[in-house]
Structures are given as C-alpha cells and as structure tokens.
Amino acid sequence: MILFPAIDLKDGQAVRLLRGEMSAATVFNDDPAAQARAFVEAGAQWLHLVDLDGAFAGEPRNARAVESILAACPVPAQLGGGIRDRATVERWLGAGLRRVILGTAAVEDPDFVREVARAYPGQVAVGIDARGAKVATRGWASETDATVTDLARAYEDAGIAAIIYTDIARDGAMQGPNVEATAALARAVSIPIIASGGVSSLDDLQRLKATGVVSGAITGRALYDGAVDLRAALDLLAD
C-alpha cells in the first residue's frame, strides 16, 4: 500500500477542510513547498495535491503553489481540482506532475476522460467523492444521481491508473475511513483503489492494509495534527 500525504491548497496556503466545507478551512502552513519537503524528508514516496479553489472555479487557481512543490520535491505527485479540459491536463503533466485526477469531468464528460486516459496511459486517475452511495461533484457542492460503484465500473476499460475514493462525511473529521465501502469498491472493479477521507491513526491504515485489496491511502489532517507519525505509517505499510 502506498501512503499519500495530502496538501490541500486554498489561497496559496496548505489547509485542511472539514467535510469539504470551504468555510471550515484550517491553515497548517503558509509555505506549501516547505510542507511538501518535510513530507519527503520523512520518507514519503508520493504526494497528493488538491487545488481546492480550482475545484470550485473549474480551472486552476493555485498553480504557483503547485509549481513550487514540484520544483522543491523529487517524488511523484498527483493533483486534483479544476482539471476539466485537455489543455489543463497537458499543462500539468508538462509541468512535471506524474498524475492528474479527474473528478467532476468523470461524471460530466466521460468521453474526455477516456480520451486523455488513452493519450496519457498511467497518468490519469478518477476521483470519486461520495455522500453515502451518491457521487458529488464541483468541489463537492453538487450531488448527482450517479452511484459510486456504477461510475467506477464505467471506467473499467478506460485505462485509468487509479480511483481515489473519498467518503465526504469522513474527510477531515478524524473519525476513521470507511473501510468497508472502500474495500467493497476495490472488489467490484479491477482498477486500483486509493482510500481518502478520515484516516486518523496507524490502526486505520492497518485496517485498510488488512483488506488486501486497497492499493493506497491518503491522509492529511492526521499528519498535521500529529495523530499519525509519517515515518511510522510508512514503515507499517512497507511491511
């Protein structure tokens, strides 16, 4: 299992939200690149970046912060938030991102997602963010009729590198991930599933690992709050 330390970007700062509410943002670092370097120095092999402002605007809003992270850190990074056209995909991959994450576009423009997944094999992931069984889009502000499993299955043959599955009710709440739903999704599709939302202890990571089907986990607030020691978490998942 790969652990992805999360850096969520709002107004150029590293923040964490509570259940996706922009009004409930806590600033953890004014220098996202310094935060990224700290994660890498602790042993992180990947970084997970989110342009929160971009997710609402539908276009990049924290490009300078992302570029500073890419310049400062040698490890691969994936980014979601506001990536909804091919030009933006090409811009980010050309800037050095290893992987882009398409969320709203995965619901609203599946042909586009399939097109870029074919054009950039291994570099396109789908973000599925859910309240209950229903998928939410546009920075989690809109709920759709699409179900998590149906959306994931729709991309089985698209060459998607991974699916990042977020249980919105758990995100930033430090209440543990939805292990059961995440494992059920991983068993329903052949695409690697990365768990996001609620990871707040080494025990949470152990439970995800014990499923035997979850490929990765994203955690943010628990690292910033000190509830999870990054080195200990990496050691746990490496065993």
Side-chain angles (χ1 to χ4, degrees):
M1 254 182 73
I2 297 172
L3 184 65
F4 297 78
I7 301 177
D8 290 359
L9 300 165
K10 181 177 183 292
D11 300 325
Q13 299 172 310
V15 308
R16 289 299 289 167
L17 306 184
L18 177 61
R19 300 186 179 95
E21 295 294 332
M22 288 289 270
S23 60
T26 301
V27 177
F28 283 101
N29 201 319
D30 290 327
D31 187 344
Q35 184 62 65
R37 283 195 300 270
F39 286 150
V40 173
E41 288 167 3
Q45 298 297 306
W46 270 87
L47 296 171
H48 175 78
L49 314 177
V50 181
D51 182 348
L52 294 171
D53 302 298
F56 283 91
E59 60 185 16
R61 283 287 188 265
N62 285 280
R64 183 174 298 178
V66 173
E67 289 162 358
S68 71
I69 291 170
L70 296 177
C73 298
V75 303
Q78 61 184 20
L79 171 72
I83 306 173
R84 297 177 194 168
D85 58 54
R86 183 157 181 164
T88 305
V89 170
E90 292 175 347
R91 171 187 172 185
W92 280 130
L93 295 179
L97 274 170
R98 179 69 59 86
R99 184 186 291 166
V100 294
I101 303 165
L102 307 179
T104 296
V107 176
E108 298 182 358
D109 196 352
D111 289 341
F112 157 67
V113 176
R114 290 174 175 275
E115 173 191 328
V116 293
R118 286 193 300 269
Y120 301 100
Q123 294 185 281
V124 176
V126 164
I128 298 182
D129 308 322
R131 287 189 177 92
K134 294 298 180 70
V135 177
T137 60
R138 298 187 173 272
W140 302 351
S142 300
E143 186 170 304
T144 72
D145 292 327
T147 67
V148 171
T149 302
D150 286 349
L151 182 60
R153 284 176 170 159
Y155 288 102
E156 275 279 36
D157 62 347
I160 297 298
I163 288 173
I164 292 90
Y165 167 64
T166 303
D167 184 329
I168 296 170
R170 308 291 183 108
D171 190 70
M174 300 289 284
Q175 296 175 353
N178 192 333
V179 176
E180 295 75 15
T182 305
L185 179 61
R187 294 186 180 102
V189 296
S190 61
I191 304 166
I193 301 298
I194 299 170
S196 176
V199 173
S200 56
S201 68
L202 292 179
D203 181 63
D204 289 340
L205 292 171
Q206 180 59 53
R207 290 191 299 129
L208 287 167
K209 182 181 178 182
T211 66
V213 292
V214 177
S215 297
I218 294 165
T219 186
R221 180 175 288 273
L223 297 176
Y224 297 113
D225 286 348
V228 171
D229 178 79
L230 181 53
R231 290 184 187 275
L234 292 167
D235 289 344
L236 171 69
L237 297 184
D239 291 339

